[in-house]
Structures are given as structure tokens and as C-alpha cells.
Amino acid sequence: FIQTALSSVCQQLFAMLEDHAYPADELMPLTCRGRVRGQEPSRGDVDDALGKFSLTLIDTLDTLVLLNKTTEFEEAVRRVLRDVRLDNDIVVSVFETNIRVLGGLLGGHSMAVMLKDTGYHMQWYQDELLHMAKDVGLRLLPAFNTSSGLPYPRVSPQTIHKTTAVGICPDHIHSCVHTHTATVFRSLVHARRALDFLWEKRQRNSNLVGTTINIHSGEWVRRDSGVGAGIDSYYEYLLKAYILLGDDLFLQRFNIHYASIMKYISQPPLLLDVHIHKPLLPARTWMDSLLAFFPGLQVLKGDIRPAIETHEMLYQVTKKHNFLPEAFTTDFRVHWAQHPLRPEFAESTYFLYKATKDPYYLEVGRTVLDNLNRFARVPCGFAAMKDVRTGSHEDRMDSFFLAEMFKYLFLLFAEEEDLTFNVEDYIFTTEAHLLPLSLSTAPHAPSPANATSEEELDDSNFDWTCPNTRLLFPDPAFPRNLRDPIRSAVDKSCPRPAIHREPGMGRPPLRAQDFMANNPDHLELLRRMGVSLIHLKDGRVQLVQHATQAVSAVAAEDGMRFMQEMMELSSQQQKEQLPPRAVQIVSHPFFGRVVLTSGPAQFGTDLSKSIMGVRGFVTVAEPYSGCAELSNAAFVQGRIALLQRGQCMFAEKARHIMKAGAIGGIVIDDNEGSSSDTAPLFQMAGDGRNTDDVTLPLLFLFYKEGNILLEALKEYREVEVLLSDKARDRDCSTDQTSPVPAATLDQSHVRTVEQDESAPHNEEVTPEEDVGPAIKRNPEPEEEPEVDKDSSRKSVEAMMADWREDLEAFQQMEDEL
């Protein structure tokens, strides 16, 4: 069931990529659009992976075949051959382009050849992806033109003569050397020379290498050594290059490094960086998430016990924080809170399950899946976590999420009969691309005779074959005996809250963007999370969290995450403030002299893009709240409906009056005494759903301004108004009674829930939702009201004075904006 669900979700993601992102490099899951480098705010070095190559498409070619989406794969290959350009004038990361683009093309080629050999698919294929891979390799080669042979970290693929002259490799060793040597550039002298140079520069006493090196002088810039960021893939491909290419030298070098890692860096279950010259001295007190690949590598090595121990430590940290933080301390607390949906932990889980067949690792995989669906799933994919403590997101879904994460999770739960080919015939690159093991039977050039001395190649302490894992665990309790002490150590060092969920709390937590203040289920979820909702006098609602009032510690964490999301939405909305709008009474006896300051809606017709505005006679909707289908739809048709705030969302009111045929709407505040003179501009938010279907303008009037309009309607049977972005010429005549059709106006699209600008940043958030109480008053516009003439005259004089004040206030607000 899980394997089928994964396949379905992955297919949905590919469809989203095609609909929203293609031919961009990545899909932005929060805004549902493609990320094109140079068109979005720079993210620094992260953007160096984007070379306008349709990166995600290339990176996930072999994932399609693994999921048995052969028709989709064939179409994807045709798209790559038709649309992808490799000569873009843009500086890219040599490492990322190599493992994702070149590796993706090679993985796609190996799958295309395999399918072609079956005789059913890809019969037209003539090694086109392989030729593209060769082209990419040639465009990366100039990066190796250094005195040491170590490559520059960046290069422009437009010309094979253009490189970025950076003398120090800030992207660390793995960005500079490893993949070129191990697989793709095996036959290139440049890559082999770079690897030999790096081996010569290891610290001879500890046999460790640092993480940053000067590519010209060969001096170590950073002398700390570990198995995480900066060095991870170097070790991975020393072993995998031996498996794939059969060159003993790679295994010998790996074994020497591995012995030093287990002697100095491995402190089960921890893996701590040390100084290469003083390996008994720790270099830092935290670990980064990229080391999570290492248990999988230890499985390939055949060293299962430390793999189980380190993996269990990582699993306990994952369970505590829902995801593996980008970095965490030795007492398992968050050091760097980001999590860009990295796949390394899932990778090691897969390899441990394949080695042991222990169903425990299926439960681990299920936890990873549940957390992805619960915390990272968004309408257009899966979003990277900005902070694992709060659950906030980044608008980011790297190509490796589909290339690696989904691939390893699918394989973890797949049965052999579910796969269309034997995965054991392939080896996974560091980007999880599938390269055939048959390459190991091809003839290779002999290793350079002077690469190392006989003394350095002494490998007598290492086995040359991996042990049978089934013989390692004659006692089924053995793995559990390794895991239990680690679980206890994590709990003791950094205890996680006990999970005691009440009925109804097993569902995914409430997200801020989904919150509706008039939804009873949402209010109940808030109560369980210790969040209370307070109605303010000005009609807004304030959210306050008291963690001690939550039903459980887990619910309190969900509440903190919800409040954090609310504050982020508030911050976003403050950056998107809209200017005030105008409701101008143009009929007799006002003739445009009365202008009421109104607040805009964040959906529906954008009056700032309309030259004429929307003009029409007003009438009161029945029901006045507008929260149900209108009973006076015939009278509302072709008019501007007056509505009272409260009982339902603004967008719901708009949909009801639009269904009745209204050409616009005005929502009047139900909080007596509110006025634009004293209250900040009010913007009506959507309902958290897509509101593109709302195609009429909706404006908001505070109580004072709204009452002026209602009094005018009482005194004069027909009142015509103009809804616009600003006041028009006051010499408006009453013969211009034809309203501007709303359908001809430009549209503005849905935005997120609006929050109060003054919301505190600690524990209170004030969203401006339409949740005011119902008002029983329901005027009948069809009936002629009885009005005392003297009082009416006084009322009109008073209104005229107020109107002048409103007009002055409106003009002042316009000037300020």
C-alpha cells in the first residue's frame, strides 16, 4: 500500500512540475511556479546548482523508470533532447552540475538502454543522452586547469574556455574532486590527477583529510575532518569506485581512511569532527545532517554494528524534531534548524533494511513518510523546512527530493515483483543515479605505478569481501540490544514529550493558512493546542497561546508551530499593504461630493487597474450577513450589494452576492463607533482557498462611514455609488447610470490570511478575519421609510459635515501613500 501511494504521489509531483515549473530548474512548492535563476531573489551558493538545464527533469529521469512510468520516461527523454540547452551563459557549481546533470543524463541513458533491450520501449533511442553527458563533461573540464589538478568550484558551460578563477575551494573537497574521479571522468587524466593530489595531501600521521583546500598551493584552509559536509562524498566514491570500476587502489585508499575514521572520528553512536594534526582533539561540538549517509556506506563496507548504532542515534533525533536538523549538538538539540528535505537518512535506512531485513527499518521509513506528509506537504509539492522547531517552510523543493528521497523510500517498501528490473545490477551514485555494475567487467587502464608506495597500500587488516549480514544476526534480539541504550541516551540527554493524544488529535495539525475563525472544528483544535481566540472591539480576533493549557506537550508544540506560521503570514501581509479605496456617492443630491474611505479586499477585482471603476445603485442584501444564498437576488442583480460584517468569511459573502448577479459589494462593520478616522486601514482577506472565482470588487466600510451610506439609503430611495481606487471628478451626473461590467475588469488573485500589523512577536497574533457577531437588523430597501423632514434636514447637514471630514481624511491618506 505504501509503495503504491508513493508511486501515486510521485506521479502527482511530476504532473505539478509539468504544469507549474517546466522548463524551469525547480518547482517552488509554496507559490506553485518554476524557479528560474535571476528571476527570483538570490539564495547565494544554493542557486549555483541552477544552470537553466531543466534540472529537476534531468535529475529524475531514472526515478520514472524505477516507478515503472515508462511512457512518461520516454516523453521526458524526448523533452530533454528537444528543449535542454547546455551552453547557457551562467556560472554553475561544477560539483552539482556533475552529480545532477551529468549523473542524471548517465542514469537516464542506462535506463534507456535497459528498456531498449527489452524490445518494448525506446526502440528509437540512439545514445543521445550519453552524447549529452559527454558534452556536459567537456564543458566542465576547464575547471581542472589548475596547477594542482584540483578543479575550480564553478565554471560557465557556455564555453569550455571560461572558468571562475577562485583560488580556494569554498564548496569543500566533495565539490571539487570526488565524482569526477570515481565514475563519470574515470578515463580522464585530469580527474585521476586530482584524486592522487588529494591523497598525497592527507595528513600522514592520522591519514585524515581536511574539508577546504587551496587548489593552487595544496595547503589546507580548514583542517577539521569528519564524514559530513565538505568530505562526505569523497569517502563514498572511493568505495563505490572500487565496486564499479574494480580498481584495487580505490579500496586500499578507502580502507586506510576508514580505519582512521573509526579510530578518531567515530565515538559510537556519534561521529565528531577532529583536527587532522591533532585527531584526539574534537574540532566542534555539533554534527551536520549530511553525515547521515555514513551508516549506508558502512553497510556496503560490511561494518554493520556501528551502522546500526549511528543510524539509531539519527532516528531518535529525527523523532524528537520530526526531521533531521541541518546541524545538531552532541546532546541532540538543534544547532541549525533548517531541513531542506535531505535524503541521506532515508538512504541509510534503505541499505540497513536490505542488509538485515529487520522490519524495524520499515517502521523507520514509515516515520519519515508520515512526517513528510504531516509537516512538509503543501498544495504544490513538498516544501523544505525553514525551522524544524516551528514547522515553518521555505519555498524550495530541490531536485534531489525526487531523485533520491522518493527513490530510496519507494525501494524500501517495494517487493521484488514490484520492480521491472533488478536493482542489484546497479550502483547508486551520490545523487542516487543508477549506473550498471557491468561497467566493472570492462577493461580499464592500470593504476599509475607511482600513485602510492607499497607500505601505504598495506591492506592486511581488512577483508576484501563483505560479510553475509544474515550470519551477523543469529540472535534476532542483537540489533535491539544495540538500539535500546542509544534510545535511552537520547531521551535522557534531551527528553522528548510523551505522546498522549486525545481522540481527534491523531489528525495532521492545523496550519495557519487553512485556519477559519468561524469553523467550530478549527476552534476546537485551537483549544487543544492551548490557543485562545479573543474578539476585539474593532472586530479583529486575537490569538494567544498558553502552552500550559494545551491537552499535551505534543499539542503545545503544534500550537507553537501554528502561532509561528501566523506571525510569518502577518509579516508577509505587512509587505503587501494595499492603498485605501473610495466609495463615492454620485446620485442626487450628492453628485460626487461625498467620498467614503474604504478598505480593499485581497481578492476579486483590483480597482487600481480599472480606469472607470464600478458604478451602480446600492441595495441591502437579504440576509444582511450575506452568509447564505440571497432571497432578494432579483433585486440585487445588476446592483452593488450592502452586507454586514460577521458570521462567515468575506470571500463567502462575495460568492453569494456574485451568484445573485451583483456587480460589486460593500461590507459594513458591525462594531458600533468604528471609523476610518481612528482605526487603521482594514483589508479583507480570503478564506485560505483559491479565490480566482471572485470576479467583482468588494470594499469595506467602518461603522461610521457605513452608517452614512445606510442613512442616505433611508432618506433617498435610489442611491448610486462609484467604487474606485480614488475619488473622481465631483461633477458626476446622474444620467451616467450604466455600471461598468465587472467581468471586463482586471483581476487580482488570492493572497494569504491577513494579520494585524500590531500583532506581538511572542505569543499573540491578531488575524483580521470576518468573525463578527450577527446583527438582527435587516432593512427593507423596497419600502419607502417615513422620515421627519426637520430631523432629516439636520441629519443631512450633519452628514455633509462628516462627509467633508471624510474627504479630507481620504485625501490625506492618499498623499501619505
Side-chain angles (χ1 to χ4, degrees), residues 623-626 643-647 668-672 703 710 772-779:
Y624 188 28
S625 68
L643 306 152
Q644 186 182 53
R645 183 182 185 184
Q647 301 184 52
I668 298 174
D669 197 4
D670 61 334
N671 293 280
E672 188 171 350
Y703 183 87
L710 290 173
I775 301 296
K776 295 182 179 179
R777 182 179 59 175
N778 192 8

PDB file of all heavy atoms in Angstrom, residues 623-626 643-647 668-672 703 710 772-779:
ATOM      1  N   PRO A 623     -30.020  37.477   3.234  1.00  0.00           N
ATOM      2  CA  PRO A 623     -29.777  38.040   4.558  1.00  0.00           C
ATOM      3  C   PRO A 623     -28.670  39.087   4.532  1.00  0.00           C
ATOM      4  O   PRO A 623     -27.773  39.045   3.680  1.00  0.00           O
ATOM      5  CB  PRO A 623     -29.374  36.830   5.391  1.00  0.00           C
ATOM      6  CG  PRO A 623     -28.769  35.897   4.382  1.00  0.00           C
ATOM      7  CD  PRO A 623     -29.566  36.084   3.128  1.00  0.00           C
ATOM      8  N   TYR A 624     -28.739  39.972   5.507  1.00  0.00           N
ATOM      9  CA  TYR A 624     -27.825  41.103   5.561  1.00  0.00           C
ATOM     10  C   TYR A 624     -26.374  40.627   5.734  1.00  0.00           C
ATOM     11  O   TYR A 624     -25.435  41.269   5.293  1.00  0.00           O
ATOM     12  CB  TYR A 624     -28.240  42.022   6.692  1.00  0.00           C
ATOM     13  CG  TYR A 624     -27.507  43.352   6.771  1.00  0.00           C
ATOM     14  CD1 TYR A 624     -26.973  43.963   5.645  1.00  0.00           C
ATOM     15  CD2 TYR A 624     -27.375  44.001   7.987  1.00  0.00           C
ATOM     16  CE1 TYR A 624     -26.322  45.178   5.715  1.00  0.00           C
ATOM     17  CE2 TYR A 624     -26.729  45.223   8.078  1.00  0.00           C
ATOM     18  CZ  TYR A 624     -26.199  45.806   6.935  1.00  0.00           C
ATOM     19  OH  TYR A 624     -25.556  47.015   7.013  1.00  0.00           O
ATOM     20  N   SER A 625     -26.202  39.485   6.386  1.00  0.00           N
ATOM     21  CA  SER A 625     -24.846  38.956   6.591  1.00  0.00           C
ATOM     22  C   SER A 625     -24.219  38.481   5.292  1.00  0.00           C
ATOM     23  O   SER A 625     -23.003  38.399   5.158  1.00  0.00           O
ATOM     24  CB  SER A 625     -24.872  37.807   7.598  1.00  0.00           C
ATOM     25  OG  SER A 625     -25.547  36.683   7.041  1.00  0.00           O
ATOM     26  N   GLY A 626     -25.045  38.094   4.311  1.00  0.00           N
ATOM     27  CA  GLY A 626     -24.527  37.567   3.057  1.00  0.00           C
ATOM     28  C   GLY A 626     -23.931  36.185   3.178  1.00  0.00           C
ATOM     29  O   GLY A 626     -23.191  35.751   2.297  1.00  0.00           O
ATOM     30  N   LEU A 643     -23.615  44.636   2.698  1.00  0.00           N
ATOM     31  CA  LEU A 643     -23.535  43.468   3.564  1.00  0.00           C
ATOM     32  C   LEU A 643     -23.046  43.880   4.934  1.00  0.00           C
ATOM     33  O   LEU A 643     -22.363  44.897   5.083  1.00  0.00           O
ATOM     34  CB  LEU A 643     -22.563  42.435   2.977  1.00  0.00           C
ATOM     35  CG  LEU A 643     -22.820  41.992   1.537  1.00  0.00           C
ATOM     36  CD1 LEU A 643     -21.534  41.560   0.879  1.00  0.00           C
ATOM     37  CD2 LEU A 643     -23.828  40.865   1.523  1.00  0.00           C
ATOM     38  N   GLN A 644     -23.384  43.083   5.927  1.00  0.00           N
ATOM     39  CA  GLN A 644     -22.878  43.346   7.275  1.00  0.00           C
ATOM     40  C   GLN A 644     -21.766  42.357   7.608  1.00  0.00           C
ATOM     41  O   GLN A 644     -21.829  41.175   7.267  1.00  0.00           O
ATOM     42  CB  GLN A 644     -23.996  43.220   8.304  1.00  0.00           C
ATOM     43  CG  GLN A 644     -23.549  43.634   9.698  1.00  0.00           C
ATOM     44  CD  GLN A 644     -24.660  43.463  10.709  1.00  0.00           C
ATOM     45  OE1 GLN A 644     -25.244  42.398  10.823  1.00  0.00           O
ATOM     46  NE2 GLN A 644     -24.960  44.530  11.435  1.00  0.00           N
ATOM     47  N   ARG A 645     -20.757  42.872   8.264  1.00  0.00           N
ATOM     48  CA  ARG A 645     -19.638  42.032   8.686  1.00  0.00           C
ATOM     49  C   ARG A 645     -20.124  41.004   9.702  1.00  0.00           C
ATOM     50  O   ARG A 645     -20.916  41.301  10.569  1.00  0.00           O
ATOM     51  CB  ARG A 645     -18.547  42.903   9.298  1.00  0.00           C
ATOM     52  CG  ARG A 645     -17.308  42.131   9.710  1.00  0.00           C
ATOM     53  CD  ARG A 645     -16.301  43.054  10.355  1.00  0.00           C
ATOM     54  NE  ARG A 645     -15.059  42.374  10.656  1.00  0.00           N
ATOM     55  CZ  ARG A 645     -14.040  42.933  11.281  1.00  0.00           C
ATOM     56  NH1 ARG A 645     -14.119  44.187  11.673  1.00  0.00           N
ATOM     57  NH2 ARG A 645     -12.940  42.249  11.511  1.00  0.00           N
ATOM     58  N   GLY A 646     -19.573  39.808   9.628  1.00  0.00           N
ATOM     59  CA  GLY A 646     -19.859  38.801  10.636  1.00  0.00           C
ATOM     60  C   GLY A 646     -20.395  37.510  10.074  1.00  0.00           C
ATOM     61  O   GLY A 646     -20.897  37.442   8.957  1.00  0.00           O
ATOM     62  N   GLN A 647     -20.246  36.451  10.868  1.00  0.00           N
ATOM     63  CA  GLN A 647     -20.841  35.125  10.677  1.00  0.00           C
ATOM     64  C   GLN A 647     -20.139  34.245   9.642  1.00  0.00           C
ATOM     65  O   GLN A 647     -20.232  33.025   9.728  1.00  0.00           O
ATOM     66  CB  GLN A 647     -22.333  35.231  10.303  1.00  0.00           C
ATOM     67  CG  GLN A 647     -23.184  35.948  11.338  1.00  0.00           C
ATOM     68  CD  GLN A 647     -24.643  35.925  10.971  1.00  0.00           C
ATOM     69  OE1 GLN A 647     -25.176  34.854  10.702  1.00  0.00           O
ATOM     70  NE2 GLN A 647     -25.280  37.067  10.972  1.00  0.00           N
ATOM     71  N   ILE A 668     -20.106  46.383   5.600  1.00  0.00           N
ATOM     72  CA  ILE A 668     -20.159  47.439   6.616  1.00  0.00           C
ATOM     73  C   ILE A 668     -19.860  46.829   7.979  1.00  0.00           C
ATOM     74  O   ILE A 668     -20.459  45.819   8.363  1.00  0.00           O
ATOM     75  CB  ILE A 668     -21.534  48.132   6.609  1.00  0.00           C
ATOM     76  CG1 ILE A 668     -21.759  48.793   5.234  1.00  0.00           C
ATOM     77  CG2 ILE A 668     -21.632  49.164   7.716  1.00  0.00           C
ATOM     78  CD1 ILE A 668     -23.130  49.379   5.050  1.00  0.00           C
ATOM     79  N   ASP A 669     -18.949  47.452   8.699  1.00  0.00           N
ATOM     80  CA  ASP A 669     -18.541  46.957  10.017  1.00  0.00           C
ATOM     81  C   ASP A 669     -19.724  46.955  10.970  1.00  0.00           C
ATOM     82  O   ASP A 669     -20.560  47.870  10.970  1.00  0.00           O
ATOM     83  CB  ASP A 669     -17.415  47.850  10.560  1.00  0.00           C
ATOM     84  CG  ASP A 669     -16.668  47.185  11.699  1.00  0.00           C
ATOM     85  OD1 ASP A 669     -16.971  46.015  12.010  1.00  0.00           O
ATOM     86  OD2 ASP A 669     -15.785  47.836  12.278  1.00  0.00           O
ATOM     87  N   ASP A 670     -19.805  45.927  11.814  1.00  0.00           N
ATOM     88  CA  ASP A 670     -20.890  45.830  12.793  1.00  0.00           C
ATOM     89  C   ASP A 670     -20.464  46.302  14.172  1.00  0.00           C
ATOM     90  O   ASP A 670     -21.231  46.187  15.127  1.00  0.00           O
ATOM     91  CB  ASP A 670     -21.384  44.383  12.874  1.00  0.00           C
ATOM     92  CG  ASP A 670     -20.291  43.425  13.311  1.00  0.00           C
ATOM     93  OD1 ASP A 670     -19.108  43.738  13.070  1.00  0.00           O
ATOM     94  OD2 ASP A 670     -20.605  42.376  13.891  1.00  0.00           O
ATOM     95  N   ASN A 671     -19.238  46.813  14.285  1.00  0.00           N
ATOM     96  CA  ASN A 671     -18.760  47.298  15.576  1.00  0.00           C
ATOM     97  C   ASN A 671     -19.064  48.790  15.695  1.00  0.00           C
ATOM     98  O   ASN A 671     -18.417  49.629  15.054  1.00  0.00           O
ATOM     99  CB  ASN A 671     -17.256  47.052  15.711  1.00  0.00           C
ATOM    100  CG  ASN A 671     -16.944  45.568  15.780  1.00  0.00           C
ATOM    101  OD1 ASN A 671     -17.090  44.950  16.829  1.00  0.00           O
ATOM    102  ND2 ASN A 671     -16.537  44.998  14.654  1.00  0.00           N
ATOM    103  N   GLU A 672     -20.043  49.079  16.506  1.00  0.00           N
ATOM    104  CA  GLU A 672     -20.538  50.448  16.617  1.00  0.00           C
ATOM    105  C   GLU A 672     -19.419  51.387  17.062  1.00  0.00           C
ATOM    106  O   GLU A 672     -18.687  51.106  18.007  1.00  0.00           O
ATOM    107  CB  GLU A 672     -21.700  50.508  17.621  1.00  0.00           C
ATOM    108  CG  GLU A 672     -22.405  51.847  17.652  1.00  0.00           C
ATOM    109  CD  GLU A 672     -23.666  51.804  18.488  1.00  0.00           C
ATOM    110  OE1 GLU A 672     -24.090  50.702  18.882  1.00  0.00           O
ATOM    111  OE2 GLU A 672     -24.239  52.880  18.734  1.00  0.00           O
ATOM    112  N   TYR A 703     -17.952  51.374  10.647  1.00  0.00           N
ATOM    113  CA  TYR A 703     -19.335  51.619  11.071  1.00  0.00           C
ATOM    114  C   TYR A 703     -19.780  53.049  10.747  1.00  0.00           C
ATOM    115  O   TYR A 703     -20.878  53.274  10.235  1.00  0.00           O
ATOM    116  CB  TYR A 703     -19.460  51.351  12.573  1.00  0.00           C
ATOM    117  CG  TYR A 703     -20.859  51.511  13.115  1.00  0.00           C
ATOM    118  CD1 TYR A 703     -21.747  50.447  13.097  1.00  0.00           C
ATOM    119  CD2 TYR A 703     -21.276  52.728  13.644  1.00  0.00           C
ATOM    120  CE1 TYR A 703     -23.029  50.584  13.593  1.00  0.00           C
ATOM    121  CE2 TYR A 703     -22.564  52.883  14.142  1.00  0.00           C
ATOM    122  CZ  TYR A 703     -23.432  51.808  14.118  1.00  0.00           C
ATOM    123  OH  TYR A 703     -24.715  51.959  14.610  1.00  0.00           O
ATOM    124  N   LEU A 710     -25.998  54.008   4.769  1.00  0.00           N
ATOM    125  CA  LEU A 710     -27.310  53.454   5.123  1.00  0.00           C
ATOM    126  C   LEU A 710     -28.332  54.558   5.361  1.00  0.00           C
ATOM    127  O   LEU A 710     -29.502  54.440   4.971  1.00  0.00           O
ATOM    128  CB  LEU A 710     -27.180  52.556   6.359  1.00  0.00           C
ATOM    129  CG  LEU A 710     -26.432  51.232   6.170  1.00  0.00           C
ATOM    130  CD1 LEU A 710     -26.229  50.540   7.514  1.00  0.00           C
ATOM    131  CD2 LEU A 710     -27.163  50.312   5.219  1.00  0.00           C
ATOM    132  N   GLY A 772     -17.244  38.668  13.118  1.00  0.00           N
ATOM    133  CA  GLY A 772     -18.068  39.483  13.995  1.00  0.00           C
ATOM    134  C   GLY A 772     -19.408  38.844  14.264  1.00  0.00           C
ATOM    135  O   GLY A 772     -19.895  38.020  13.504  1.00  0.00           O
ATOM    136  N   PRO A 773     -20.075  39.217  15.378  1.00  0.00           N
ATOM    137  CA  PRO A 773     -21.364  38.628  15.728  1.00  0.00           C
ATOM    138  C   PRO A 773     -22.455  39.047  14.757  1.00  0.00           C
ATOM    139  O   PRO A 773     -22.361  40.061  14.076  1.00  0.00           O
ATOM    140  CB  PRO A 773     -21.627  39.207  17.130  1.00  0.00           C
ATOM    141  CG  PRO A 773     -20.835  40.469  17.171  1.00  0.00           C
ATOM    142  CD  PRO A 773     -19.625  40.224  16.348  1.00  0.00           C
ATOM    143  N   ALA A 774     -23.501  38.242  14.678  1.00  0.00           N
ATOM    144  CA  ALA A 774     -24.612  38.532  13.780  1.00  0.00           C
ATOM    145  C   ALA A 774     -25.418  39.721  14.296  1.00  0.00           C
ATOM    146  O   ALA A 774     -25.622  39.874  15.495  1.00  0.00           O
ATOM    147  CB  ALA A 774     -25.519  37.314  13.656  1.00  0.00           C
ATOM    148  N   ILE A 775     -25.906  40.557  13.390  1.00  0.00           N
ATOM    149  CA  ILE A 775     -26.776  41.682  13.728  1.00  0.00           C
ATOM    150  C   ILE A 775     -28.154  41.386  13.159  1.00  0.00           C
ATOM    151  O   ILE A 775     -28.299  41.027  11.989  1.00  0.00           O
ATOM    152  CB  ILE A 775     -26.224  42.996  13.127  1.00  0.00           C
ATOM    153  CG1 ILE A 775     -24.815  43.248  13.666  1.00  0.00           C
ATOM    154  CG2 ILE A 775     -27.145  44.162  13.429  1.00  0.00           C
ATOM    155  CD1 ILE A 775     -24.771  43.485  15.154  1.00  0.00           C
ATOM    156  N   LYS A 776     -29.185  41.525  13.996  1.00  0.00           N
ATOM    157  CA  LYS A 776     -30.526  41.139  13.584  1.00  0.00           C
ATOM    158  C   LYS A 776     -31.169  42.143  12.628  1.00  0.00           C
ATOM    159  O   LYS A 776     -32.125  41.827  11.945  1.00  0.00           O
ATOM    160  CB  LYS A 776     -31.419  40.966  14.812  1.00  0.00           C
ATOM    161  CG  LYS A 776     -30.970  39.824  15.712  1.00  0.00           C
ATOM    162  CD  LYS A 776     -31.902  39.669  16.885  1.00  0.00           C
ATOM    163  CE  LYS A 776     -31.447  38.508  17.776  1.00  0.00           C
ATOM    164  NZ  LYS A 776     -32.330  38.344  18.950  1.00  0.00           N
ATOM    165  N   ARG A 777     -30.658  43.391  12.608  1.00  0.00           N
ATOM    166  CA  ARG A 777     -31.259  44.416  11.775  1.00  0.00           C
ATOM    167  C   ARG A 777     -31.233  43.984  10.317  1.00  0.00           C
ATOM    168  O   ARG A 777     -30.229  43.551   9.802  1.00  0.00           O
ATOM    169  CB  ARG A 777     -30.505  45.736  11.941  1.00  0.00           C
ATOM    170  CG  ARG A 777     -31.111  46.882  11.137  1.00  0.00           C
ATOM    171  CD  ARG A 777     -30.335  48.157  11.358  1.00  0.00           C
ATOM    172  NE  ARG A 777     -28.942  47.986  10.966  1.00  0.00           N
ATOM    173  CZ  ARG A 777     -28.076  48.994  10.963  1.00  0.00           C
ATOM    174  NH1 ARG A 777     -28.437  50.179  11.392  1.00  0.00           N
ATOM    175  NH2 ARG A 777     -26.833  48.793  10.583  1.00  0.00           N
ATOM    176  N   ASN A 778     -32.369  44.121   9.626  1.00  0.00           N
ATOM    177  CA  ASN A 778     -32.462  43.710   8.231  1.00  0.00           C
ATOM    178  C   ASN A 778     -33.337  44.706   7.486  1.00  0.00           C
ATOM    179  O   ASN A 778     -34.525  44.497   7.324  1.00  0.00           O
ATOM    180  CB  ASN A 778     -33.039  42.299   8.138  1.00  0.00           C
ATOM    181  CG  ASN A 778     -32.893  41.724   6.739  1.00  0.00           C
ATOM    182  OD1 ASN A 778     -32.243  42.317   5.900  1.00  0.00           O
ATOM    183  ND2 ASN A 778     -33.529  40.588   6.516  1.00  0.00           N
ATOM    184  N   PRO A 779     -32.799  45.846   7.055  1.00  0.00           N
ATOM    185  CA  PRO A 779     -33.606  46.881   6.407  1.00  0.00           C
ATOM    186  C   PRO A 779     -34.285  46.368   5.146  1.00  0.00           C
ATOM    187  O   PRO A 779     -33.783  45.480   4.465  1.00  0.00           O
ATOM    188  CB  PRO A 779     -32.582  47.962   6.066  1.00  0.00           C
ATOM    189  CG  PRO A 779     -31.391  47.654   6.896  1.00  0.00           C
ATOM    190  CD  PRO A 779     -31.406  46.184   7.108  1.00  0.00           C
TER     191      PRO A 779
END
